[in-house]
Amino acid sequence: MAFASPMPSNEFLWDVFNRVDKDRSGSITSDELQQALSNGTWTPFNPETVRLMIGMFDKSGNGTVSFEEFGALWKYVTDWQNCFRSFDRDNSGNIDRNELKTALNNFGYRLSEGLVDMLIRKYDRLGRGTIYFDDFIQCCIVLYTLTSAFRKYDTDQDGVITIHYEQFLSMVFSLKI
């Protein structure tokens, strides 16, 4: 990510956590987090993105985020928000094809025009040729996760792997995406 935000104070985080924890259970569910997050479109935050983020920060494996886990999640979302804003050059509230290509290049990905077009089609839920904040996060998480899995087999770092079909299926099905 382009920017790293400082960790907010525990008092601030506790206040935010309590506002998000609607049922006062002491942990945040996917539904509570989805309602608390904004993608800038007045539509619900992408539930798949929320599921991915809960999975990343749920260290206990119970499908929720405790207060201790919430601090890291809050920082993660804030960092992504800053990153998104830095690549949304026209301040439209979404990332168009060229802005996505620039972002991915800055992250170190050198993807073909066709693959960038495919990512736009896959993560553009509204069919407008743009990606909103929540879908941008999901796109980047999936791309990172797939790339990391690929690199485990690309031992000479030449961008080419040879694997058997079952190795491929094992690789894909073991991913948390």
Side-chain angles (χ1 to χ4, degrees):
M1 249 159 290
F3 303 101
S5 61
M7 186 62 96
S9 72
N10 268 355
E11 186 177 315
F12 172 81
L13 282 176
W14 185 248
D15 183 50
V16 173
F17 182 85
N18 282 323
R19 281 188 271 141
V20 175
D21 182 19
K22 297 286 188 200
D23 65 1
R24 300 288 178 248
S25 65
S27 61
I28 293 173
T29 65
S30 291
D31 288 342
E32 289 171 328
L33 184 60
Q34 181 185 18
Q35 292 172 16
L37 294 173
S38 171
N39 62 9
T41 65
W42 302 102
T43 60
F45 212 82
N46 185 325
E48 186 60 22
T49 305
V50 173
R51 185 191 67 77
L52 283 171
M53 291 191 308
I54 290 277
M56 290 169 66
F57 292 94
D58 174 21
K59 301 303 177 204
S60 60
N62 65 357
T64 64
V65 177
S66 68
F67 176 70
E68 291 74 25
E69 297 162 335
F70 180 70
L73 173 62
W74 181 265
K75 183 179 182 323
Y76 184 78
V77 172
T78 302
D79 287 346
W80 271 116
Q81 199 170 40
N82 291 334
C83 175
F84 181 84
R85 287 180 180 147
S86 75
F87 292 113
D88 179 16
R89 299 280 186 211
D90 60 1
N91 294 315
S92 61
N94 57 59
I95 298 284
D96 66 24
R97 185 197 180 288
N98 291 331
E99 291 166 334
L100 179 63
K101 185 170 173 66
T102 299
L104 295 177
N105 280 336
N106 283 358
F107 297 157
Y109 297 106
R110 301 295 177 257
L111 304 177
S112 70
E113 300 296 322
L115 195 52
V116 173
D117 289 339
M118 184 184 296
L119 290 173
I120 287 286
R121 283 192 306 275
K122 173 138 181 84
Y123 293 100
D124 172 17
R125 283 188 293 159
L126 301 178
R128 297 181 177 159
T130 59
I131 299 176
Y132 289 99
F133 175 56
D134 49 348
D135 300 314
F136 177 72
I137 294 173
Q138 184 182 348
C139 175
C140 293
I141 290 172
V142 169
L143 190 58
Y144 175 80
T145 303
L146 291 172
T147 300
S148 295
F150 182 91
R151 284 188 176 149
K152 287 179 184 170
Y153 289 94
D154 187 14
T155 54
D156 59 358
Q157 300 296 303
D158 68 351
V160 176
I161 63 173
T162 302
I163 58 175
H164 298 282
Y165 180 61
E166 285 200 16
Q167 285 177 300
F168 169 74
L169 291 178
S170 293
M171 178 178 72
V172 171
F173 288 131
S174 69
L175 299 176
K176 291 185 178 185
I177 53 172

